[in-house]
Amino acid sequence: MSLDHATVRRIASLARIRVEEHEVETLRTELNSILGWIEQLNEVDIEGIAPLAGAADTAQPMRADVVTDGGYVEKILANAPERIGDFYAVPKVVE
Amino acid sequence: MLTDLTIAEARDGLRAKTFSAVELTTAHLDAIEALNPRLNAYITVTHAGALEQARAADAALAAGTQRALTGIPLAIKDLFCTEGVRTTAGSKMLGPFVPPYESTVTAQLLRDGAVFLGKANLDEFAMGSSNMTSAFGPVESPWKRRQDETAVLVPGGSSGGSAAAVSARLAMGATGTDTGGSIRQPASYCGLVGMKPTYGRCSRFGVVAFASSLDHPGPFARTVRDTAILLGSMAGHDPKDSTSAFLPVPDFEAACARGVKGLRIGVPREYRADGMPSEIEALWQQGLDWLRAAGAEVVDVSLPHTRYGLATYYIVAPAEASSNLARYDGVRFGLRHDGEDLRDLYERTRAEGFGAEVRRRVLIGTYVLSAGYYDAYYLRAQKIRALIRKDYTEAFTKVDALLTPTAPSAAFAQGENMDDPIKMYLNDVFTVPANLAGVPAVSVPAGLDSNGLPLGLQVIGKPFDEETLFAVAGAIEQAAGFDAVPQVRAGGK
């Protein structure tokens, strides 16, 4: 599978990364080189194998569904690039 | 020199009041001031905080309330969140980020009395094998080629600043993280011991996430014993990390001197990579001879899916990274680049904040998870990951540990391997499979190549059996008698 110009643009858009028109061709070459190298995985017989998502063997523990932490509005907003009162501020999204 | 002491020696010296914690910390801060402008091992030096912690350590020593690491000066990879101290992940994206909380691993080191000298440089978001992708500039390895002392070598990566700092005596030990080899490869390049413990042994809470199912915090030090001391403090169950193992922390330090008598050491034949330098092949054989002489039995084993480890990793790791790094949106913390609307703000922020390698991996990850390609790439990779882990499970029914080289080469120069991303990825060919399987692995310095550069051997073990790894690494350390020091170091030239 080889990526074309439009697919690179589509991936960048899904990833929410702005890519300038002059960068697309270089990226396309780099990504195709990596994806071409990954093709070697097609030779492995995976019939009947269950996928492994992670290496942790232990069962995921349950905990009581209670609030154990919080109430740090100032601490959390201290890193906000822009705030209005107790809220993060972003450009207007609804006209 | 105080900066040449091991952690174990410094611990004894502090308790015997031969020197104070303030003196020990000051010696390291002076060394940092002299050499960090050149090596760039630290992004942030916490001068005042370190001295304050050292004074508290002296008070604890005077009161007899010292703990395992009281007064020991450490470097912290700048991927661990430290409360009130800027944490950048080596990225422009987190340039302005000051965490309001402490990672569990660093909190435990502080609980045990450690002194933090500063935040160590790294590849951006821990993505790299050379420390060349850091937004805060590359790190210079303190090691030089004998034949060409002018060439600037890389310390390896991604924990390159941690490795350079410990090697050059700008810290007695350091934290690192290892997602595909990021502790073991720089340990090998810099002549250090570096351990990636079992997945779940050290909490990931407060560690800036790269690939959550592969990320492993772990220690660096100059000796096996020091590495064990650090891991003893860093490890343990943490309710804030749902993948943290509910297991007691063994006495790792005691395991270092256990010896290897009666142990069965496996040699995975698939690790004989094409084109492996003969020096590395010879060192590997030497390592096996040392272990045989110390009473171990060497057994040939097969890990047939090892050769697919790296390609599997380059699907799984970018996929998880693309998901984890979605949080960098310019809204809640970190960099913001204003845009015409919210979407434009996201896209401009992420274009400006991420470097080339991070962008590449986020795009690969987005692609392999996208509709229509998920089964062909991601699901297939997860199945091969299961096969890779099964190889280890089967090998460990026959042997107690495996011995391999850590990396396919010694340290390379800045600028080398930069023309092709895959060439850089190949540095991790021997280390990546242990991340996919979650099994523990340690790199121990075993010798020098013909250029005078350190080479490490890797010991891979059963899940949660770090003790055997410390025993095997201890035996190699003792047999190797590795006492080479880097040309650039505190008190050196």
Side-chain angles (χ1 to χ4, degrees):
Chain A
M1 277 172 270
S2 186
L3 306 185
D4 58 18
H5 189 99
T7 308
V8 173
R9 280 230 152 276
R10 188 176 63 83
I11 300 166
S13 163
L14 286 171
R16 301 289 187 271
I17 300 177
R18 183 184 168 95
V19 170
E20 303 299 335
E21 193 54 33
H22 69 269
E23 298 173 301
V24 175
E25 198 45 38
T26 314
L27 265 179
R28 195 179 76 82
T29 311
E30 286 173 355
L31 298 182
N32 276 328
S33 145
I34 296 168
L35 291 170
W37 171 70
I38 284 171
E39 295 281 306
Q40 59 179 288
L41 296 182
N42 291 334
E43 67 195 56
V44 183
D45 179 8
I46 52 167
E47 190 60 39
I49 305 295
L52 179 67
D57 281 319
T58 45
Q60 298 286 297
M62 302 293 280
R63 62 161 170 77
D65 187 15
V66 290
V67 176
T68 57
D69 208 355
Y72 307 128
V73 173
E74 280 312 311
K75 270 188 164 183
I76 289 166
L77 283 172
N79 277 292
E82 198 186 335
R83 65 182 283 186
I84 296 172
D86 280 351
F87 301 95
Y88 296 111
V90 295
K92 196 166 157 186
V93 284
V94 181
E95 287 303 324
Chain B
M1 299 243 336
L2 288 180
T3 46
D4 281 323
L5 298 176
T6 65
I7 291 173
E9 288 165 351
R11 187 179 58 184
D12 294 346
L14 287 166
R15 287 177 189 185
K17 312 281 193 295
T18 314
F19 47 84
S20 70
V22 167
E23 285 168 331
L24 186 63
T25 293
T26 304
H28 284 89
L29 289 170
D30 289 349
I32 292 168
E33 196 175 306
L35 292 177
N36 199 53
R38 171 176 180 177
L39 298 177
N40 200 27
Y42 288 90
I43 292 173
T44 304
V45 180
T46 49
H47 197 278
L51 284 173
E52 194 182 311
Q53 289 163 343
R55 282 191 289 271
D58 280 330
L61 287 158
T65 55
Q66 69 274 1
R67 297 183 58 100
L69 292 168
T70 296
I72 302 297
L74 303 176
I76 302 300
K77 186 179 187 178
D78 207 13
L79 202 63
F80 290 82
C81 286
T82 40
E83 188 173 356
V85 175
R86 184 171 78 136
T87 299
T88 68
S91 180
K92 204 174 163 186
M93 188 63 93
L94 285 177
F97 179 60
V98 178
Y101 59 93
E102 189 78 26
S103 84
T104 296
V105 162
T106 51
Q108 290 180 180
L109 290 169
L110 292 173
R111 170 203 67 197
D112 286 344
V115 170
F116 291 171
L117 297 164
K119 305 298 293 287
N121 205 340
L122 69 158
D123 278 300
E124 184 179 4
F125 285 108
M127 297 181 193
S129 308
S130 64
N131 216 111
M132 294 298 285
T133 73
S134 170
F136 297 85
V139 173
E140 176 177 342
S141 169
W143 292 82
K144 298 289 161 196
R145 287 178 182 144
R146 240 179 239 141
Q147 290 84 338
D148 177 14
E149 295 220 350
T150 57
V152 176
L153 305 183
V154 303
S158 67
S159 313
S162 298
V166 178
S167 176
R169 276 72 176 150
L170 308 186
M172 305 197 97
T175 64
T177 60
D178 189 315
T179 303
S182 284
I183 291 174
R184 291 160 288 156
Q185 183 252 23
S188 179
Y189 282 14
C190 290
L192 301 173
V193 181
M195 176 177 271
K196 178 200 89 65
T198 313
Y199 188 80
R201 183 63 98 180
C202 289
S203 169
R204 291 179 296 104
F205 176 79
V207 180
V208 176
F210 160 13
S212 303
S213 82
L214 298 161
D215 293 344
H216 298 67
F220 282 97
R222 294 192 288 266
T223 68
V224 174
R225 188 173 172 194
D226 285 3
T227 308
I229 294 171
L230 291 176
L231 184 63
S233 179
M234 293 165 68
H237 178 250
D238 178 13
K240 290 176 182 164
D241 174 356
S242 66
T243 60
S244 169
F246 197 77
L247 287 172
V249 179
D251 186 346
F252 295 125
E253 190 181 355
C256 298
R258 224 186 237 184
V260 295
K261 207 172 181 67
L263 288 185
R264 291 166 66 86
I265 306 295
V267 191
R269 64 180 77 101
E270 291 82 4
Y271 274 62
R272 288 205 169 79
D274 295 337
M276 189 198 299
S278 57
E279 291 180 303
I280 290 178
E281 172 75 36
L283 189 73
W284 190 8
Q285 292 310 317
Q286 174 71 73
L288 294 168
D289 289 344
W290 285 330
L291 293 176
R292 261 191 219 102
E297 185 189 347
V298 172
V299 183
D300 271 321
V301 296
S302 175
L303 301 171
H305 297 92
T306 284
R307 56 184 296 210
Y308 300 108
L310 207 54
T312 303
Y313 176 84
Y314 275 96
I315 292 176
V316 175
E320 294 188 24
S322 73
S323 172
N324 271 326
L325 272 58
R327 75 190 68 185
Y328 303 106
D329 56 7
V331 173
R332 291 160 300 163
F333 51 85
L335 182 83
R336 163 179 291 195
H337 188 117
D338 283 318
E340 289 163 19
D341 51 25
L342 187 57
R343 183 176 180 127
D344 193 43
L345 179 151
Y346 293 154
E347 294 192 345
R348 286 179 189 273
T349 296
R350 291 164 64 80
E352 187 188 337
F354 293 148
E357 181 61 25
V358 172
R359 179 173 73 170
R360 231 176 348 249
R361 295 202 199 184
V362 169
L363 293 178
I364 289 280
T366 304
Y367 179 64
V368 301
L369 291 177
S370 65
Y373 299 98
Y374 181 92
D375 286 3
Y377 287 109
Y378 188 63
L379 194 62
R380 171 169 285 268
Q382 285 190 314
K383 290 179 178 179
I384 299 172
R385 184 175 185 181
L387 291 169
I388 289 168
R389 188 162 76 153
K390 188 162 152 271
D391 284 356
Y392 281 108
T393 307
E394 283 174 7
F396 287 130
T397 62
K398 302 183 195 88
V399 297
D400 300 295
L402 304 167
L403 187 75
T404 77
T406 305
S409 73
F412 48 91
Q414 288 184 358
E416 284 173 18
N417 294 332
M418 299 286 285
D419 52 327
D420 175 2
I422 294 167
K423 241 160 101 181
M424 190 65 89
Y425 298 170
L426 286 171
N427 274 289
D428 296 332
V429 65
F430 299 144
T431 48
V432 150
N435 295 78
L436 290 165
V439 295
V442 63
S443 179
V444 58
L448 299 175
D449 74 356
S450 56
N451 280 314
L453 297 179
L455 295 171
L457 288 175
Q458 172 176 237
V459 190
I460 307 171
K462 297 176 188 173
F464 299 105
D465 188 19
E466 289 87 357
E467 287 168 279
T468 296
L469 297 198
F470 282 122
V472 176
I476 293 172
E477 179 181 58
Q478 198 180 9
F482 185 91
D483 57 1
V485 292
Q487 287 82 346
V488 183
R489 64 183 190 280
K493 64 178 172 186

